[in-house]
Amino acid sequence: MESLFYIAAVTALASTVSVVTAKNASHALIYLIVSLLSVAVIFFLLGAPFAAALEVVVYAGAIVVLFLFVVMMLNINFVILREGFLQYLPVGGLVGLILLVELALVSGGWAFAPEVAAAAGTPSTLLATSGVMTNT
């Protein structure tokens, strides 16, 4: 059972990366179906067969078929969409760099004013939820 879990996990990760990197929208939808089925197998192995069934019926069945229908009906020409890619690349790279720096600041636990963080004594998330999580 453990090996099947790891096989499903690797399959889900690989097919999800393929969804993002696929050049053809129809192929991306096929990879999405494989990813959703792999997640359904993981749900089943974790003891949630109803969640696995819902994953297959609702997501892999209905929503992906709807996506495929829309993609085929729109018949988007991606060559025209990619023509101005290099024109917007510097702006997109700058925005991506700013978001990366913000992510590093948030996940690294850095503070612009360390004296304020030291005076509080507890993380701000604990202060914000302390009134919500009490029994009184």
Side-chain angles (χ1 to χ4, degrees):
M1 290 293 263
E2 188 174 336
S3 62
L4 185 59
F5 174 82
Y6 287 117
I7 290 170
V10 168
T11 304
L13 287 173
S15 60
T16 303
V17 168
S18 298
V19 167
V20 177
T21 59
K23 295 190 185 291
N24 189 347
S26 299
H27 293 167
L29 286 171
I30 299 297
Y31 293 135
L32 181 63
I33 292 172
V34 172
S35 174
L36 293 172
L37 291 176
S38 300
V39 171
V41 168
I42 292 172
F43 279 146
F44 187 77
L45 291 174
L46 291 176
F50 184 69
L54 284 178
E55 179 87 16
V56 170
V57 171
V58 173
Y59 291 111
I63 294 177
V64 172
V65 169
L66 179 67
F67 285 166
L68 185 62
F69 177 74
V70 168
V71 165
M72 292 180 137
M73 288 296 292
L74 290 178
N75 196 12
I76 299 172
N77 189 358
F78 290 105
V79 175
I80 295 172
L81 290 176
R82 290 190 184 121
E83 285 178 356
F85 174 74
L86 292 177
Q87 178 184 357
Y88 298 110
L89 187 61
V91 176
L94 180 65
V95 171
L97 183 65
I98 291 171
L99 289 175
L100 186 65
V101 168
E102 288 178 358
L103 181 65
L105 287 173
V106 170
S107 64
W110 298 341
F112 290 112
E115 62 276 356
V116 175
T122 57
S124 60
T125 53
L126 291 178
L127 291 173
T129 60
S130 62
V132 178
M133 304 303 274
T134 59
N135 289 329
T136 58

